[in-house]
Amino acid sequence: WKHYSNKDRFDFRHEIEYGITDRLQLGVYLADWRYEDKDGGDSKADYKSSGVELIYQLTDPNKSAFGSALYGEVLVGDEKIKLEAKFLLQKNIGPLVLVYNAILEAEWEGESLDNLDESVGVWENTFGASYQINPSFFVGVEAVHEIEFAEWSDAGDHVVSVGPNISFRKGNFFTTLAGLFQVTDVDGEPESQLRVLAGITF
């Protein structure tokens, strides 16, 4: 859920992940869609895209000084194509886990896939710290820094959001709840966000 000054937006993603090897993981996004509720009563639901991701682990955080991985994602929808690359870092210090993601996105949008006349690049940095209270419960904090480049040339405003998170794991089930609050006051960007991630492993 993202709250803007003039609307609320709910983004949904359904994903199946499969470990191909001990180091390589495949993810399939069945459907990304959103529901928007704008001021004045104008609301709508839209399918956005489907896609795949690959994550390749370079080093294991439990065996090396740092855990690291490479991430690639491709999304295709009726009106857009998106590519995303990440470099993932993780440091375990006893019950404390520190993470950093460097993210580069490229997105093309238009009225149809045959007419993608808008392009934008996004550089993003995410930081997180999580502390294990017990084997099932974690608490932490995260921060996101983002800057967009319209047509890969004009840099927009720096957007920074910060907030807490909590995680719960029991058996094959896991869930994480995270809240982010914008601290930079940039118009057109979410003022606050609430993210819920839930999954079951087989």
Side-chain angles (χ1 to χ4, degrees):
W1 165 64
K2 295 182 179 182
H3 174 70
Y4 298 77
S5 61
N6 63 340
K7 66 180 180 181
D8 288 284
R9 194 178 92 191
F10 299 86
D11 293 319
F12 298 89
R13 166 168 282 182
H14 306 85
E15 179 183 9
I16 296 174
E17 296 182 351
Y18 179 75
I20 299 174
T21 71
D22 291 342
R23 290 180 176 268
L24 183 62
Q25 178 175 299
L26 169 68
V28 178
Y29 301 130
L30 304 178
D32 290 357
W33 61 282
R34 71 177 47 159
Y35 174 80
E36 284 190 343
D37 186 10
K38 297 182 179 180
D39 291 348
D42 184 17
S43 61
K44 63 177 181 177
D46 287 313
Y47 162 79
K48 303 304 292 182
S49 61
S50 298
V52 296
E53 70 172 31
L54 284 172
I55 303 176
Y56 182 76
Q57 183 187 73
L58 300 173
T59 54
D60 187 334
N62 296 311
K63 299 177 180 179
S64 305
F66 285 89
S68 60
L70 299 176
Y71 173 108
E73 174 183 302
V74 178
L75 295 176
V76 179
D78 295 334
E79 300 174 349
K80 79 170 189 177
I81 295 175
K82 179 181 175 181
L83 305 178
E84 182 175 315
K86 297 181 184 179
F87 178 61
L88 316 178
L89 280 177
Q90 177 175 326
K91 175 65 175 178
N92 296 347
I93 308 173
L96 180 65
V97 178
L98 305 175
V99 297
Y100 166 72
N101 295 343
I103 305 167
L104 182 63
E105 300 177 10
E107 188 170 326
W108 297 265
E109 291 186 336
E111 295 182 356
S112 68
L113 288 177
D114 296 328
N115 185 27
L116 300 176
D117 55 359
E118 296 181 18
S119 65
V120 62
V122 180
W123 172 250
E124 189 173 328
N125 299 277
T126 67
F127 308 85
S130 188
Y131 186 84
Q132 184 177 7
I133 303 296
N134 59 49
S136 296
F137 191 63
F138 298 74
V139 296
V141 63
E142 57 187 79
V144 178
H145 166 260
E146 180 181 303
I147 182 168
E148 290 190 0
F149 297 87
E151 303 298 330
W152 287 93
S153 59
D154 299 325
D157 295 320
H158 292 261
V159 181
V160 178
S161 299
V162 181
N165 64 60
I166 58 173
S167 298
F168 176 78
R169 301 175 183 175
K170 192 68 173 180
N172 294 339
F173 174 78
F174 63 90
T175 185
T176 297
L177 176 67
L180 288 173
F181 303 90
Q182 188 189 156
V183 297
T184 45
D185 195 26
V186 176
D187 291 336
E189 296 294 333
E191 298 176 351
S192 58
Q193 305 178 48
L194 182 65
R195 184 176 68 250
V196 180
L197 173 69
I200 298 175
T201 60
F202 298 95

